[in-house]
């Protein structure tokens, strides 16, 4: 594992002033593979579902129940966003297990971009459900002096989402690489299983926190 490339991805090609790094290429590949699989599965839904279709339906129901527990009102409008986020992050986290690919989430830019998407999505859903005035009102309630604290909190949780995902996935890959070099015959399969477990868990945690933040925005004035 090249630690320098993990922290500063290599520029693959340049299109005018835009530099396309290896992280962007890996992300495109992952998006293409995941999109193709989901499109094929969507076109081949069966009345008597296969085991894989049952697994996907269970995943959708799990996400729906997670959202419903925190946002009882109109939970279905959040399922596409949270579900897409969960599937994409899981795929990115596990991509490093495929020879020739590297997990885009080991590049700080990817978790940061995802956290920024969550930041804007929270405000989008808050405005959609409560209206612009209703959404902005909770930043100055019960007193206006809380506004700077609320703004600082928005920044802090965006950074928290970013570094939690980045640190856990990068740290895991570094540990696996070191152990693999030292104890190659003994740790290959166990560490791959551990990588799958942690990759799924980190995607779940990121998605769960996203639902918590959206819930805070849309439920702020429901009394």
């Amino acid at each position: 594992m090249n630690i320098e490339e993990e922290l500063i991805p290599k520029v693959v090609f340049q299109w005018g002033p835009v530099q396309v790094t290896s992280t962007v290429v890996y992300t495109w590949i992952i998006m293409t593979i995941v999109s193709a699989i989901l499109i094929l599965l969507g076109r081949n839904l069966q009345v008597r579902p296969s085991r894989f279709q049952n697994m996907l339906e269970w995943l959708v129901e799990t996400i729906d129940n997670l959202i419903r527990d925190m946002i009882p009102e109109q939970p279905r409008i959040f399922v596409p966003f949270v579900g897409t986020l969960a599937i994409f992050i899981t795929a990115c986290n596990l991509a490093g297990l495929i020879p020739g690919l590297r997990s885009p989430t080991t590049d700080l830019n990817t978790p940061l971009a995802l956290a920024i998407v969550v930041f804007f999505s929270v405000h989008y859903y808050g405005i959609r459900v409560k209206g612009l005035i209703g959404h902005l009102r909770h930043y100055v309630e019960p007193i206006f002096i809380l506004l700077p604290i609320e703004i600082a909190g928005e920044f802090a949780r965006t950074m928290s989402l970013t570094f939690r995902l980045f640190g856990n996935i990068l740290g895991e890959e570094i540990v696996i690489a070191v152990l693999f070099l030292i104890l190659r015959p003994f740790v290959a399969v166990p560490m791959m299983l551990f990588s799958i477990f942690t990759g799924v868990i980190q995607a779940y945690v990121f998605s769960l926190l996203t639902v918590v933040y959206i819930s805070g925005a849309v439920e702020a004035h429901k009394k």
Side-chain angles (χ1 to χ4, degrees):
M1 176 181 291
N2 189 331
I3 303 300
E4 182 180 355
E5 182 179 342
E6 294 287 352
L7 298 176
I8 306 176
K10 181 177 63 176
V11 176
V12 178
F13 64 90
Q14 188 162 343
W15 187 14
V18 179
Q19 292 183 337
V20 178
T21 66
S22 55
T23 298
V24 175
V25 175
Y26 295 136
T27 302
W28 286 346
I29 293 172
I30 293 168
M31 288 192 300
T32 301
I33 294 173
V34 172
S35 299
I37 292 174
L38 294 178
I39 290 172
L40 289 175
L41 290 173
R43 290 180 176 176
N44 293 281
L45 295 178
Q46 303 173 4
V47 177
R48 294 184 178 180
S50 63
R51 291 182 179 179
F52 195 71
Q53 183 175 329
N54 281 329
M55 184 181 70
L56 289 177
E57 291 177 357
W58 171 83
L59 176 62
V60 173
E61 289 178 2
T62 300
I63 295 173
D64 182 70
N65 291 333
L66 173 66
I67 297 172
R68 194 178 298 274
D69 289 341
M70 298 186 188
I71 314 174
E73 184 178 332
Q74 299 179 315
R76 284 297 177 95
I77 66 175
F78 311 107
V79 172
F81 172 67
V82 177
T84 301
L85 199 63
I87 293 172
F88 176 72
I89 294 176
T90 300
C92 286
N93 290 349
L94 302 184
L97 298 175
I98 302 175
L101 291 181
R102 197 177 301 278
S103 299
T105 41
T106 59
D107 177 359
L108 180 61
N109 294 301
T110 300
L112 178 59
L114 291 169
I116 291 173
V117 169
V118 171
F119 171 82
F120 284 107
S121 297
V122 167
H123 295 290
Y124 165 76
Y125 286 115
I127 294 172
R128 176 175 175 178
V129 173
K130 297 295 180 182
L132 179 60
I133 301 300
H135 175 64
L136 295 178
R137 187 183 301 143
H138 82 274
Y139 287 101
V140 294
E141 290 185 343
I143 54 176
F144 184 81
I145 198 172
L146 292 178
L147 179 59
I149 298 176
E150 292 287 350
I151 294 175
E154 293 281 341
F155 176 78
R157 71 187 189 186
T158 300
M159 292 299 100
S160 175
L161 277 178
T162 299
F163 287 103
R164 179 184 287 108
L165 181 59
F166 168 69
N168 281 299
I169 300 301
L170 179 60
E172 166 213 315
E173 290 214 352
I174 293 174
V175 170
I176 290 175
V178 172
L179 290 177
F180 189 78
L181 289 174
I182 299 174
L183 304 170
R184 179 174 298 185
F186 307 102
V187 302
V189 174
M191 292 312 296
M192 286 181 66
L193 295 176
F194 175 74
S195 181
I196 293 173
F197 174 76
T198 56
V200 172
I201 288 297
Q202 291 305 317
Y204 173 79
V205 170
F206 195 101
S207 302
L208 176 62
L209 291 175
T210 298
V211 176
V212 171
Y213 298 153
I214 292 175
S215 174
V218 302
E219 300 286 312
H221 300 290
K222 185 183 292 183
K223 294 183 180 180

